[in-house]
Amino acid sequence: MNDLIGSAVFCVLSLVIIGTALGVVMSRNLVHSALLMTACFIGVGIMYISLEADFLGAVEFMTYSGGVAVLIVMGVMLTHKGNGVPSNPFNGRELFAAALAVIFTAVMGLVLTFVQMPPDTGFVSADTVGDLADMMLNTYILPFEIAAVLLLAALLGAVILAKGDGEA
Amino acid sequence: MTIGLTHYLLLAAVLFAIGMFGVLSKRNIIAILMGIELMLNAVNINLIAFNRFLPVHDLSGQLMALFAIAVGVAEVAVGIALAFRIFYDRETINVDELNRMKG
């Protein structure tokens, strides 16, 4: 019974994720692409929660379906000319791109049929926030600090790039 | 039939392929950024599925995904700023027209 529910949840979530992702790349309207991308990220976040990674699900909702979606929509609005031309056209190489994507998926599927998967013995944490905090502030303190510096540099770089050197 | 690691890896591969199609076939810089975001999410699904199904003893997969999310968000911020700059300088964000370095 539990297996059945898990399979149903996985099937519905994968349908949502793949469908919205296809909508993102196929839509002729950039605003529709941005909205479908938000829906796709919400599906991915729910999938994280179904994989026992509830903190990462919350992070996905906040950063991707919150922050990144707002940034992208702002980018769409500020760079849109609104002169009636389709805002999200293909560049004429979509046949090659589709062939490459299909070949990639086929190779990955072929590899997955050959690989012998180990029995399901993963680590399930009862307190993901506490465990992640312990790891992040003890063992992985150096990558944590480097990520902080990276975020600061990205913030400053984005401001300088968007405003220009002289005006900032 | 139970859902195992293979199913998640296959889903992530399909999502990565869709993102790659978007990156390779779009004209608009912001649409290309959206494709990159889809690819980053596919990789994160892989990391979290490995943490859930492979024999590990801690949450290192989830922590790796957390760092990947941080780096991905920083990349989007810089990418959007670049798109603004290009739009103000050239009045276009069509990557096919950005060929000033073409020999």
Side-chain angles (χ1 to χ4, degrees), chain A residues 7-166:
Chain A
S7 309
V9 167
F10 178 81
C11 290
V12 171
L13 279 180
S14 12
L15 276 182
V16 168
I17 291 173
I18 305 267
T20 50
L22 276 176
V24 170
V25 294
M26 289 301 176
S27 169
R28 297 270 161 174
N29 187 331
L30 203 53
V31 180
H32 294 173
S33 286
L35 290 176
L36 284 170
M37 195 188 65
T38 312
C40 183
F41 289 160
I42 290 175
V44 173
I46 297 174
M47 179 159 276
Y48 289 171
I49 293 174
S50 80
L51 277 170
E52 318 275 350
D54 41 8
F55 177 66
L56 272 171
V59 168
E60 173 88 12
F61 290 149
M62 279 195 295
T63 57
Y64 275 107
S65 27
V68 171
V70 167
L71 259 182
I72 296 248
V73 169
M74 206 172 74
V76 170
M77 279 159 47
L78 285 180
T79 57
H80 187 49
K81 285 186 184 156
N83 46 6
V85 293
S87 52
N88 194 10
F90 285 111
N91 62 5
R93 289 182 283 275
E94 60 265 24
L95 276 183
F96 295 111
L100 199 62
V102 168
I103 291 171
F104 177 83
T105 313
V107 170
M108 280 298 168
L110 207 62
V111 167
L112 284 178
T113 58
F114 284 125
V115 174
Q116 187 72 43
M117 290 297 172
D120 295 354
T121 53
F123 182 78
V124 176
S125 166
D127 175 21
T128 48
V129 182
D131 284 355
L132 278 174
D134 276 345
M135 290 177 67
M136 195 184 262
L137 295 178
N138 287 316
T139 321
Y140 296 98
I141 183 79
L142 185 64
F144 177 69
E145 296 294 337
I146 293 174
V149 175
L150 171 82
L151 284 176
L152 179 67
L155 192 70
L156 290 176
V159 170
I160 298 286
L161 270 175
K163 284 204 71 172
D165 202 7

